[in-house]
Amino acid sequence: MYSNINFKKRHKQLLENGLKTLCIDPKLTDVAKRSSFYLNVKPNNDYIILSLFVKKLLEQIGDDVALKRLYITKEPHKLNRLKKAIQEVNISNTALS
C-alpha cells in the first residue's frame, strides 16, 4: 500500500517504464491526468467497476496464476475470500458519469 505521495512517485516511475495505467475515479485527479486511461464514474461506484475488472481477470487467468500474481501462494484462502467478496457485484445499478 502506498501513501498518496508515494503512490504519485511510484505511478510516475511505472509510466516512465512504459506501463499503461488505468485510473477509475469520480474526480479528474493528478493521477487520472497522468494515467494512460481514465474512467470517470459516479461517486461511490469506483469500487464496483474495479471489482468487475478483478472478477473478469480472475475468470480469465484461473486460480493458479492468480495465486502467483497476487503473491498469496501460501495463503490460498485469501483468493477464496476475494472471489466471494466480488461474486455478487454486477453493473446493473452502476453507471458511468
Side-chain angles (χ1 to χ4, degrees):
M1 185 62 82
Y2 294 100
S3 70
N4 193 32
I5 294 170
N6 289 334
F7 177 77
K8 287 180 182 180
K9 181 179 177 183
R10 180 67 177 137
H11 185 249
K12 184 178 178 183
Q13 291 171 341
L14 293 171
L15 291 171
E16 288 171 354
N17 289 331
L19 185 74
K20 300 291 184 194
T21 61
L22 167 67
C23 180
I24 303 170
D25 201 313
K27 297 179 184 176
L28 186 59
T29 61
D30 289 338
V31 170
K33 289 176 186 176
R34 284 195 313 268
S35 292
S36 309
F37 305 96
Y38 169 59
L39 186 59
N40 178 250
V41 295
K42 288 184 177 180
N44 301 316
N45 285 317
D46 45 345
Y47 76 94
I48 296 173
I49 302 297
L50 182 58
S51 295
L52 290 169
F53 276 113
V54 171
K55 185 176 183 179
K56 189 64 175 176
L57 179 66
L58 290 175
E59 288 173 3
Q60 291 182 348
I61 65 173
D63 288 359
D64 291 339
V65 175
L67 287 169
K68 291 175 187 171
R69 299 284 181 182
L70 296 172
Y71 305 104
I72 56 173
T73 52
K74 295 179 182 173
E75 302 171 286
H77 65 281
K78 289 185 177 180
L79 177 61
N80 292 332
R81 284 178 36 205
L82 174 63
K83 289 168 78 173
K84 185 177 179 180
I86 62 175
Q87 182 178 2
E88 301 300 320
V89 175
N90 66 54
I91 200 163
S92 64
N93 59 352
T94 307
L96 301 176
S97 296

